[in-house]
Amino acid sequence: MNPQDLRVILATDCGSTTTKAILIEKLGDGYRQTYRGEAPTTVEAPFEDVTRGVLNAIQEIEELSGRHILDGERIITPANGTTGVDIYISTSSAGGGLQIMVAGVVKSMSAESAQRCALGAGAIVMDTLAANDGRPSYEKIERIRQLRPDMLLLAGGTDGGTVSHVVEIAEYIAAADPRPRLGIGYQLPVIFAGNKEARSQVQHLLGDTTALSIAENIRPVLERENLMPARHRIHDLFLEHVMAQAPGYKKLISWTGAPIIPTPAAVGLIIETVARREGLNVVGVDIGGATTDVFSVFHEIFNRTVSANLGMSYSIANVVAEAGLDNIRRWLPFAFDEQTLRNQIKNKMIRPTTIPQTVTDLQVEQAIAREALRLALDQHKELAVGLKGVQQERSVSDAFTQGASGESLIDMRTLDLIIGSGGILSHAPRRVQSMLMMMDAYAPLGITQLAVDSIFMMPHLGVLSTVHEQAATEVFVKDCLVPLGTCVAPIGTGKIGEPCFSYRLLFPDERVIADTLGYGEIRLLPLPSGQEASIELAPAKGFDFGVGKGKKLVGKVKGGVVGIVLDARGRPITIANEEDMRVQQLQAWAAAVGLYPSEELKIKN
Amino acid sequence: MAHSYTPGLRVTPDTVIQRRRLLPILGEVVVTHGATVSATTEVARTSLPGKVYPVNVVNQLSIAPDEIMSYMRKREGEAVSKGEPIAENKPLLKWFQVQVTSPITGTIENISHVTGQVFLREPPTMISLAAYIDGTIVEVTPQQGVVVESHCAFIQGIFGVGGETTGTLAIAVQQPGEELTAAHLQPEHVGHIVIGGSLARKETFSRARELGVRALVVGGVHDRDLKELLGYDLGVAITGTERIGFTLIITEGFGAIPMATRTFELLSAHVGRKASCSGATQIRAGVIRPEVIIPLASADESTVHSPRSKVIGGGITVGDTIRIIREPYFGILARVKDLPSELQRIPTESEARVLVATLPDGQDAVIPRANVEMIEG
């Protein structure tokens, strides 16, 4: 069917625990998401057939919508009146997602490019091997033997460059004789995407013992990455080898009207598509129970990272282990003894499906979320960098301004939009809690919009964008994103209470609000979704809105379900070390934006 | 009648369980279908290929890779001993001779003409797989492993560390709410699986290790003590490979929490019996919980008098006993009074599916359904 003729679209995302289905319909001129259903994923015993969960989720949509979609275990296509759908599409992260091991010659060059390629394809990178990674060679071989990845991506050497170093890594792989995670007796899929001159020797070494396939070099010259061919090959092998081993997927693949892609790859696709269409620099985050994915598009360069053990249930204790308990406690507006706090966090780890019932419990989880978000962005910044090893010609004047090779692409001053997703952000009882969690974790600079994914439909829209980009972006803007509002914050630190910046806000109804914020203050000004106001900002000496210290900025701010948050808490945000002071400070900030029920704050005072 | 699906841990006096025992790589199954096995019986074995050590011969001899064969003293497939020369140059003066020696005892596996590396492999290691539980072989997968079935009493814990072990059950406390202290552990507990009450601390762990206790089963531990026991702060609940000298199983959670009476009574009823247990825990999709398995002789059915109750997983109904697993009622056992179908607003302002439970003091409390579990089996 021609994409333009699609009127009823059914999409599912088969997650580790839940299979989520949505129905998208063409209503009038535009596409809207109309119904959703969900059911437990059925990859594990006793069902061991992913399609059971898919059928259950679709049945829920049938009941809610009145549309007759299933004929027994068959999805009826095409749509005819209130029967059937025009296309069924799906993403999947069930069974632990796609786990890849990558290898290259130079750690900061081909190995890093291979890592970016695998991450961009939606994989979890289990380890990155390189000739110069500092490990003795027998340790590398032992590591390849121990890990049981779904596939291995081997890069290295520019075209026409080093052969022997690439062959050396291939020899290690051959000596290790690696086994795949799924399917005892099957050969491990290996993709070679390095120096084309080394192909025949890699074929000789790995052709018989692995399921080897060759892709174009991901780093054909030092100055350019060419990640897409290898990324597509990863997706092909994901379907042919990994998915084919997972229970029920052969049937599921036969139902879909477009290739199934890994869930994180689909989220990346929709963020990339929207950033390109709107001309925005975007950071997207999906904080789940076990992992946190970060996506960024800066100046049209897409990057994705996954922090495999930063999450809010299965991995909650690891966030605390990595961040340190003091960094969690700094976000708590009350005193808490260490033993009780540690035990409480571990109890969440062993019973991951429980939810906070008290506000105190909610505040602890939201404090941990701030640190998980911060750590995941720090890891993202390390990988989302310009190409290393590229020679740059500089004049004397350039030497003072030009960024070094390998500098992070993530520049908070030029960031336009932050999109949050995952239970703790999408389902926070108050939307302002989601906004503050992201603001505290990311400390955005200047003028930055924030939004959350309403019901986690970014994966569905990502796979839809491969079939019908316009439908995907329409639903993304109208039904997926919940605009929270805009954060306005200058860079700099000062003394509590001294002037930080003045503002003059001109609303669409011509109302004007003007005032000055003291350093250490935060203020919320309501501005509904869909409205835009003009703002004039005059920072005090030493503060900078991204255009220079003390320089005025005139811009636009967009409204949302929260509104405009004027943030004079400093960058970095300054929190008192002394406990009583910290509690007072956090309670004042919470009261200023209506973060928690007021009775809770009174009780604690 | 209102009904809801609720997860829970199995604690059952009389059941049949199966355990799949698989080799990590293909090998040989050494028992037959229908065979009776004990926990320590070998059911399968394989030889794991030895570790591989590359040696860059051409760098050490300063030669080109394609010249390597004329400098090698050993050929592919030949055995070598640690320190034995595998390659050497041939200078005019012997004074200048350079020899490359083997870092291991093993065999020459591969000589590369492209990179000039020589790969040596250590001898294979034999892996023997035990049955883990007393029972019968009910399934054999050739070259891979077996399924063992056992008629047993079965207790799942909530979290554990340390691997599989076997031992005789002993009880060291009087009440499920009593802390298991170091003083409770006595020399007669060597080789035993020791049942405690509400808590075990780091001093108790040290004593268990000194004595050679096989396993401790208690209601709870403090996270700080677990960190000291492991030597690191546990980040994710995927355990079972720790080498801490004994296996630790907690039945309730972190903190001092009395062991559920039913669990305590069932374990107490089998003191002196041989049992198998494992601390292996995996809290992810495909969850694995730690366990204690007490094989029953057929005559035991009439001698074990623990109350039978409903099977978990089917859901809870009004009148059922539940355990609350989250603050502010963490650890309390309560009785389900009502299962309203509408979402209700809880103190965090979230809308959640809830149940009304009657607490031991007679008060009613509204609890999110996500925050309760069944412990009966």
Side-chain angles (χ1 to χ4, degrees), chain A residues 137 142 145 148 168 171 175 201 314 318 339 342-343 346-347 350-351 354-355 357 361 365 429-430, chain B residues 24 49-50 54 112 114-115 117 121 222-224 233-235 252 254 283 289 326 348-349 366 371 373:
Chain A
S137 39
E142 198 52 25
R145 269 166 59 127
R148 298 185 80 146
E168 187 180 314
E171 283 175 350
Q201 307 205 40
Y314 303 108
N318 197 55
Q339 180 148 292
R342 291 188 75 98
N343 284 343
K346 283 290 195 297
N347 279 324
I350 58 177
R351 292 183 168 103
T354 59
I355 60 171
Q357 185 173 1
D361 229 358
E365 286 204 5
R430 294 186 179 193
Chain B
S112 171
V114 180
T115 60
Q117 299 210 92
R121 192 180 286 274
H222 287 309
D223 179 43
R224 265 201 302 221
D233 205 352
L234 187 77
E252 315 303 312
F254 284 85
I283 304 176
R289 294 284 184 184
R326 186 91 193 213
T348 57
E349 299 181 334
V366 174
N371 293 356
E373 71 185 12

Side-chain angles (χ1 to χ4, degrees), chain A residues 427-460:
Chain A
H427 300 143
R430 294 186 179 193
R431 294 291 192 192
V432 66
Q433 291 165 359
S434 310
M435 185 148 175
L436 258 283
M437 276 187 270
M438 290 193 279
M439 281 174 54
D440 290 348
Y442 294 158
L445 304 171
I447 297 173
T448 315
Q449 293 175 62
L450 292 99
V452 290
D453 178 4
S454 58
I455 56 164
F456 196 57
M457 64 169 110
M458 284 201 281
H460 309 79

Side-chain angles (χ1 to χ4, degrees), chain A residues 57-78:
Chain A
I58 295 172
Q59 271 168 9
E60 206 168 300
I61 288 191
E62 282 188 313
E63 285 166 21
L64 292 168
S65 65
R67 176 171 289 276
H68 180 48
I69 300 171
L70 295 171
D71 174 16
E73 290 195 356
R74 189 180 69 85
I75 296 169
I76 302 166
T77 53

Side-chain angles (χ1 to χ4, degrees), chain B residues 48 74 78 94 105 155 178 200 220 257 264 288 310 344 365:
Chain B
L48 197 63
K74 297 279 181 181
E78 277 190 60
K94 204 166 185 185
T105 296
I155 294 112
E178 189 181 348
I257 315 164
F264 190 78
I288 298 170
K310 64 189 291 182
Q344 286 197 16

Side-chain angles (χ1 to χ4, degrees), chain A residues 338-529:
Chain A
E338 182 182 338
Q339 180 148 292
T340 311
L341 185 56
R342 291 188 75 98
N343 284 343
Q344 189 175 322
I345 292 163
K346 283 290 195 297
N347 279 324
K348 168 79 177 188
M349 174 188 81
I350 58 177
R351 292 183 168 103
T353 55
T354 59
I355 60 171
Q357 185 173 1
T358 65
V359 174
T360 306
D361 229 358
L362 180 76
Q363 287 166 326
V364 170
E365 286 204 5
Q366 293 189 346
I368 296 169
R370 285 169 164 86
E371 288 301 304
L373 292 168
R374 178 182 68 80
L375 290 169
L377 185 67
D378 285 351
Q379 291 176 9
H380 185 80
K381 282 177 180 170
E382 280 176 26
L383 198 71
V385 293
L387 297 183
K388 291 172 191 160
V390 177
Q391 290 192 350
Q392 300 183 353
E393 282 187 24
R394 296 178 179 203
S395 67
V396 174
S397 61
D398 283 342
F400 294 99
T401 56
Q402 198 174 0
S405 144
E407 196 172 87
S408 181
L409 300 170
I410 311 302
D411 179 357
M412 300 309 276
R413 289 170 303 184
T414 60
L415 175 62
D416 300 304
L417 172 64
I418 301 171
I419 302 168
S421 181
I424 190 108
L425 294 174
S426 294
H427 300 143
R430 294 186 179 193
R431 294 291 192 192
V432 66
Q433 291 165 359
S434 310
M435 185 148 175
L436 258 283
M437 276 187 270
M438 290 193 279
M439 281 174 54
D440 290 348
Y442 294 158
L445 304 171
I447 297 173
T448 315
Q449 293 175 62
L450 292 99
V452 290
D453 178 4
S454 58
I455 56 164
F456 196 57
M457 64 169 110
M458 284 201 281
H460 309 79
L461 300 182
V463 66
L464 177 58
S465 73
T466 65
V467 181
H468 196 324
E469 186 175 303
Q470 187 201 337
T473 49
E474 271 183 32
V475 176
F476 185 77
V477 173
K478 288 179 191 159
D479 298 313
C480 175
L481 279 196
V482 176
L484 298 172
T486 303
C487 168
V488 176
I491 314 164
T493 53
K495 284 188 179 167
I496 299 288
E498 288 192 351
C500 179
F501 67 89
S502 301
Y503 64 91
R504 186 172 181 278
L505 203 57
L506 175 62
F507 289 93
D509 59 5
E510 301 198 344
R511 255 181 327 126
V512 174
I513 296 180
D515 203 351
T516 299
L517 262 76
Y519 184 75
E521 262 190 86
I522 188 167
R523 192 172 294 176
L524 170 63
L525 302 171
L527 180 66
S529 302

